[in-house]
Amino acid sequence: MATKVNSTLGTLSRRSFIGATALGAAAVMAGGLEAVSPEKALASEGDGDETYVYTSCPMCNQSVFCGLKGTVQDGKLVRVEGNEQHSKPKPCLKGLTSLQYLYDPNRLLYPLKRTNPAKGIGEDPQWERIGWDEALETIAAEFNKAKETYGAPSVTFHSGDPKEHLPLFQRVAALFGTPNVSWGGAQCAFALAMSGILCYGATVTTMPSPETKVHLQWGSNIAWSLYPQPTAYKGMLDAKKAGCKYIVIDTRMTPTAVQLADLYLQPRPGSDGALALAMANVIIEEDLYDHEFVENWTEGFDEYKEYVAEFTPEKAEEITWVPADQIREAARMWAEAGQGTMWVSPHSTTHHSNGVQSTRAITLLLALMGYWDREGCRKLTPGVTGTADAEFRLTDLSGPLLDQRAGVDRWPVWSAMSTYYQNNGLLEYINDGIIHAGVFLGTNLMNFPQTQLVQEAVSTLDFAVAVDMHLNPWTHDYMDMVLPAAVCWERVAPFQSQPNGIIGSQAAMQPAGEAREDWQFLLDLGCALGFEEECFHGDLKAAMQAYLDAGGSGATVDDIQNALPGVYELPMAGEWSPKQYEKNGFSTPSGKAEFKSGLLEQLGFEGLPVYEEPHISPVSTPELLEQYPLILTTGNRVPWYVHSKYRHTPWLNQFMPEPIVNMSHEDAEARGLEEGDTVRIYNQFGEVRFKVAITNMMHPGNVEILHGWEQANSCLLIDRVFDPISGFPTFKDALCEIEKA
Ligand SMILES: Nc1nc2c(c(=O)[nH]1)N[C@H]1C(S)=C(S)[C@@H](COP(=O)(O)OP(=O)(O)OC[C@H]3O[C@@H](n4cnc5c(=O)[nH]c(N)nc54)[C@H](O)[C@@H]3O)O[C@H]1N2
Ligand SMILES: Nc1nc2c(c(=O)[nH]1)N[C@H]1C(S)=C(S)[C@@H](COP(=O)(O)OP(=O)(O)OC[C@H]3O[C@@H](n4cnc5c(=O)[nH]c(N)nc54)[C@H](O)[C@@H]3O)O[C@H]1N2
Ligand SMILES: [Mo]
């Protein structure tokens, strides 16, 4: 089917500008942008006309923010390198590729509106170029109509993982009156944060310091996911040289395991809770735990001890595939070191139906050893002053509305712990008539399990507008309007936190075409909705100043820009001194570290970190295992892609031009498969096609595919079952079979 795009310059086929970079239609769409060649990108330095600009890298979904320095010549950005004065001075390949991303000929540059009133899967939107004024007026009219008809909460402010717009996103939503605001934390790190907060009132993951004697690296291939690499990874290598022992627990033999592990354990996917409980079993049985800490500073130990007694290493070996002796060795290594830290993945143990409970079982290994708020352990160091922003976000204003959030009853623990709504229920919120319209900023609909149902539902909304750098059919085909966003080299807002202050961003140029930076779009939207005063009459600098003022630093926007390429330094909130809990207790219902969670019990959940099988697994669904004998993991990161992004960015795409499935020699051989074969991967939900890659990384019986491929969406194979505590999707609970296509 030929999909038409009407622009001022003619009618374009949708496929043509999404595909290869060199197409004429693509160049038209992108207003004549050219793909950058490596030679051009690293053009000469020092001919006198160059100026430098500085920004923080958003390429890993705005989660790492390494420092970037750009060289501008004749109004063009020609070179990207690290900013040595930034706390993360060395960007990875993705940071350097931000140059090619800026000049990507496939960028969306103009607001588009749908002209085909028929929506739904297979319908061609027939995009037509419009101006910003028309776009903003239409959005405001549609949102106000939904507000009058169904109330303001019927409009969702939906965000994927990008984060820089969130303070203003929340502010405009609060002004409009809707609490149904989402962020990427609904699928990403917040379940991990919840696991720590439920136990300690604080998050738990930390990098090892030079004093650390043992570090537990649980399900995070940090060498590739670059989170927050490469600076932090160097710290890990340095700690190893200083004598820190590493226990790496990962379902794959990763580069992180190979480089760091003194002891490597390879569990069955989703069985982590049982493994952690068995380590606790050994530590308690062998009386290796910290009696002083456990007796004085924890809650629920006796019941925990009784529960943990069931999880002998031998029983855990049956559940987890990890030999009992290795479990004993890991437990002793952890307990006997005296100073320990842990880094747990934001997604690997939490993308299971038992996610939060399993992750709590892991984090409680800190409580058992009293590895809390002392040297070489998880230290609760005070940050800098002057960066608070709740006042700017107006989350207090939305406070009384919080009970009206969609999903409050379905996911009470999430709703009690977050001011955002749990967006994984979007399908049901729409189908149940709760949500009728929305803005989808930086959103990828492929991230919802059973994507096709969500696409159908979104297409029934009265009005939906997306904001993105690219026109992505898997998301935008179901929208009424798509607006072009600026990339990092074209934007100035907001600021980034640094360990010693705040750092600003400079734009190298005006946004290409009619792209706008997200903060500017949100200010303009707020004004169109009638909140001119509260949205600073659309003045970006005034908004940024208000954001700074809310933090109370006393800094001006100019102060921060003038400090570049350095950091605008702020005073520390105080000196760290150990064991603050002895004075202040823990921020939990009991005031202690909780083996048994008071909040979970209060909300009707099991207080102990109980182990349950994933809802789909060789143990819980043996009938499915007969047809689908392989455990399917989706979403382990690769260095060159971030979710659905960069699939058409040549410097990154060259490393993995097509979808591949990683599998063991044994599993490939048993199916007569060879490297490069195209295969069908299927289960009770559907089928996707990948190419075989045979690797020693995988445990026989477990295969993995990356998410975010338009042509092979992994979420078609994932059930719509969620962790009842966090509401997280079960991206890593699936079985499948593979055969040659
Ligand atoms: N199967 C499976 N699915 C997963 C995961 C998994 O492990 N397995 N992991 C989950 C996790 S942890 C996460 S964090 C999510 C990520 O989920 P998303 O963030 O929804 O995923 P992306 O594909 O990065 O989509 C982001 C979209 O925002 C656009 N964008 C990027 N930056 C900006 C910006 O600054 N402004 C605007 N306006 N748009 C922007 C991009 O072009 C892209 O279209 O994926 C989740 N999905
Ligand atoms: N290059 C790149 N960097 C990224 C991203 C990206 O898409 N690309 N995404 C960013 C985001 S949003 C996130 S959330 C972080 C993620 O950061 P990380 O958590 O470090 O992500 P991964 O590198 O995928 O590491 C997860 C590891 O968990 C293992 N694993 C999978 N299932 C299980 C399980 O059930 N149990 C155990 N024990 N291990 C398991 C996998 O084998 C994998 O090695 O990375 C961020 N950085
Ligand atoms: Mo994430």
Side-chain angles (χ1 to χ4, degrees):
M1 181 191 59
T3 304
K4 301 291 182 231
V5 172
N6 300 318
S7 76
T8 46
L9 294 160
T11 297
L12 312 179
S13 140
R14 178 178 71 189
R15 295 288 154 202
S16 64
F17 68 80
I18 287 150
T21 49
L23 298 172
V28 171
M29 193 61 199
L33 294 187
E34 291 163 45
V36 171
S37 67
E39 299 74 45
K40 229 177 181 177
L42 299 175
S44 64
E45 266 194 300
D47 72 357
D49 301 340
E50 17 186 75
T51 49
Y52 303 112
V53 286
Y54 299 90
T55 190
S56 297
C57 180
M59 299 284 281
C60 290
N61 266 13
Q62 304 174 2
S63 49
V64 183
F65 288 120
C66 300
L68 297 181
K69 171 185 178 184
T71 303
V72 182
Q73 270 175 357
D74 302 326
K76 281 208 121 188
L77 187 74
V78 294
R79 183 187 177 93
V80 172
E81 60 204 299
N83 171 6
E84 291 298 327
Q85 296 195 46
H86 197 282
S87 64
K88 293 169 195 151
K90 299 208 187 307
C92 74
L93 179 61
K94 291 190 275 356
L96 304 181
T97 305
S98 65
L99 179 66
Q100 199 169 47
Y101 196 58
L102 166 70
Y103 291 118
D104 184 344
N106 296 314
R107 272 183 66 186
L108 172 69
L109 298 182
Y110 305 106
L112 299 177
K113 90 169 174 199
R114 175 183 208 100
T115 58
N116 181 2
K119 293 202 254 172
I121 291 176
E123 291 293 345
D124 177 351
Q126 293 174 11
W127 295 117
E128 185 178 274
R129 180 177 166 183
I130 56 169
W132 271 99
D133 289 348
E134 181 185 340
L136 290 164
E137 276 163 30
T138 310
I139 302 169
E142 292 286 348
F143 281 13
N144 282 326
K145 195 164 81 188
K147 186 178 187 171
E148 278 156 31
T149 320
Y150 310 104
S154 70
V155 178
T156 178
F157 277 55
H158 192 105
S159 172
D161 205 36
K163 301 164 187 74
E164 290 191 300
H165 59 283
L166 286 172
L168 193 52
F169 205 56
Q170 281 190 306
R171 182 181 177 90
V172 178
L175 291 167
F176 180 72
T178 178
N180 288 324
V181 185
S182 78
W183 67 312
Q187 303 191 331
C188 188
F190 199 63
L192 169 64
M194 286 170 80
S195 307
I197 294 166
L198 286 165
C199 299
Y200 304 94
T203 59
V204 295
T205 51
T206 331
M207 287 287 138
S209 66
E211 294 78 17
T212 305
K213 300 283 187 297
V214 62
H215 178 83
L216 197 46
Q217 182 71 13
W218 204 303
S220 171
N221 179 23
I222 201 159
W224 277 7
S225 62
L226 315 171
Y227 187 81
Q229 245 273 53
T231 314
Y233 195 63
K234 180 169 181 305
M236 296 182 90
L237 294 169
D238 289 346
K240 186 166 174 71
K241 274 190 217 137
C244 179
K245 296 273 182 250
Y246 282 85
I247 306 167
V248 177
I249 300 184
D250 197 301
T251 51
R252 299 177 305 164
M253 170 89 81
T254 61
T256 307
V258 171
Q259 285 172 18
L260 291 181
D262 293 282
L263 180 62
Y264 166 59
L265 272 47
Q266 188 169 28
R268 171 166 68 86
S271 68
D272 300 273
L275 182 56
L277 293 169
M279 285 175 66
N281 173 296
V282 175
I283 292 169
I284 295 170
E285 279 293 307
E286 299 187 2
D287 199 15
L288 301 174
Y289 65 96
D290 180 337
H291 284 255
E292 194 279 323
F293 186 84
V294 166
E295 274 148 36
N296 296 308
W297 297 108
T298 68
E299 180 71 18
F301 178 69
D302 292 340
E303 282 165 85
Y304 169 77
K305 180 178 168 183
E306 203 181 314
Y307 181 63
V308 152
E310 292 173 29
F311 288 85
T312 61
E314 283 68 25
K315 177 174 164 181
E317 174 171 340
E318 282 172 31
I319 302 175
T320 65
W321 299 346
V322 180
D325 285 351
Q326 282 185 13
I327 300 176
R328 287 201 171 84
E329 198 184 339
R332 289 173 193 148
M333 204 175 194
W334 175 248
E336 285 167 355
Q339 282 149 299
T341 49
M342 62 168 69
W343 182 274
V344 188
S345 162
H347 72 100
S348 73
T349 61
T350 58
H351 285 171
H352 299 284
S353 56
N354 60 16
V356 168
Q357 291 293 39
S358 295
T359 311
R360 282 182 67 229
I362 296 168
T363 64
L364 284 168
L365 294 171
L366 289 167
L368 216 42
M369 299 318 309
Y371 290 164
W372 194 262
D373 210 18
R374 53 190 180 84
E375 207 58 80
C377 302
R378 165 75 170 115
K379 282 163 76 173
L380 299 173
T381 41
V384 292
T385 56
T387 55
D389 61 5
E391 199 185 304
F392 181 83
R393 293 173 185 248
L394 298 180
T395 35
D396 281 348
L397 185 68
S398 67
L401 277 174
L402 289 185
D403 288 346
Q404 290 185 41
R405 279 174 300 169
V408 169
D409 296 334
R410 184 171 177 188
W411 290 304
V413 187
W414 164 280
S415 305
M417 297 180 77
S418 172
T419 57
Y420 294 95
Y421 90 138
Q422 187 24 296
N423 70 37
N424 289 307
L426 181 67
L427 170 68
E428 294 79 17
Y429 306 153
I430 297 174
N431 290 345
D432 294 347
I434 299 168
I435 298 294
H436 291 269
V439 49
F440 293 81
L441 198 155
T443 300
N444 165 16
L445 292 188
M446 272 196 287
N447 277 334
F448 290 94
Q450 299 301 301
T451 306
Q452 74 289 358
L453 301 180
V454 183
Q455 290 166 329
E456 278 291 354
V458 169
S459 66
T460 67
L461 288 172
D462 293 348
F463 181 77
V465 51
V467 191
D468 209 300
M469 289 96 169
H470 288 89
L471 194 58
N472 299 325
W474 56 90
T475 301
H476 302 141
D477 274 7
Y478 310 96
M479 301 283 158
D480 297 280
M481 194 181 278
V482 189
L483 302 174
V487 308
C488 66
W489 292 110
E490 301 164 332
R491 56 192 189 203
V492 294
F495 312 102
Q496 297 311 329
S497 293
Q498 294 284 283
N500 56 339
I502 315 174
I503 195 160
S505 285
Q506 289 165 317
M509 61 195 61
Q510 290 294 318
E514 290 182 5
R516 279 192 189 174
E517 66 175 289
D518 292 326
W519 271 56
Q520 188 64 58
F521 157 65
L522 289 168
L523 291 174
D524 297 342
L525 175 62
C527 292
L529 288 167
F531 306 101
E532 283 92 357
E533 193 75 30
E534 300 86 341
C535 292
F536 317 98
H537 305 281
D539 184 322
L540 185 58
K541 193 169 176 187
M544 291 169 74
Q545 187 61 52
Y547 182 54
L548 285 177
D549 292 346
S553 67
T556 67
V557 173
D558 290 335
D559 289 338
I560 291 178
Q561 299 302 72
N562 292 339
L564 281 169
V567 174
Y568 181 85
E569 290 189 19
L570 292 170
M572 300 304 287
E575 292 268 298
W576 174 76
S577 61
K579 300 191 183 182
Q580 281 299 305
Y581 57 83
E582 290 182 347
K583 251 199 279 161
N584 307 324
F586 288 80
S587 301
T588 56
S590 64
K592 295 185 171 179
E594 295 192 346
F595 286 109
K596 195 170 179 200
S597 163
L599 183 65
L600 285 181
E601 285 208 317
Q602 199 184 312
L603 293 171
F605 292 86
E606 193 62 63
L608 291 172
V610 292
Y611 177 70
E612 279 175 24
E613 268 296 311
H615 74 108
I616 294 177
S617 86
V619 178
S620 59
T621 53
E623 68 294 350
L624 286 176
L625 190 72
E626 281 176 26
Q627 278 173 281
Y628 312 115
L630 297 166
I631 302 174
L632 175 69
T633 304
T634 70
N636 294 328
R637 309 313 191 231
V638 294
W640 29 86
Y641 290 137
V642 179
H643 313 295
S644 67
K645 294 194 297 290
Y646 318 131
R647 294 301 201 280
H648 302 292
T649 310
W651 290 350
L652 297 173
N653 162 277
Q654 62 184 319
F655 297 105
M656 192 189 269
E658 313 176 277
I660 58 165
V661 49
N662 280 324
M663 59 196 302
S664 66
H665 294 269
E666 291 87 340
D667 290 333
E669 214 165 277
R671 289 163 182 78
L673 300 174
E674 286 180 16
E675 185 83 12
D677 280 351
T678 300
V679 289
R680 299 169 54 222
I681 305 179
Y682 62 94
N683 67 11
Q684 69 274 36
F685 298 108
E687 163 181 328
V688 285
R689 283 173 191 234
F690 279 72
K691 281 205 168 155
V692 169
I694 299 171
T695 168
N696 292 331
M697 283 174 84
M698 303 306 296
H699 193 293
N702 180 204
V703 298
E704 64 155 345
I705 56 178
L706 189 61
H707 60 306
W709 291 105
E710 179 190 6
Q711 67 275 44
N713 173 9
S714 65
C715 282
L716 298 180
L717 304 186
I718 306 297
D719 201 354
R720 287 192 60 78
V721 168
F722 302 85
D723 175 354
I725 297 177
S726 64
F728 269 40
T730 48
F731 291 130
K732 292 173 178 64
D733 289 341
L735 295 173
C736 71
E737 180 53 297
I738 299 187
E739 64 184 38
K740 206 163 169 170

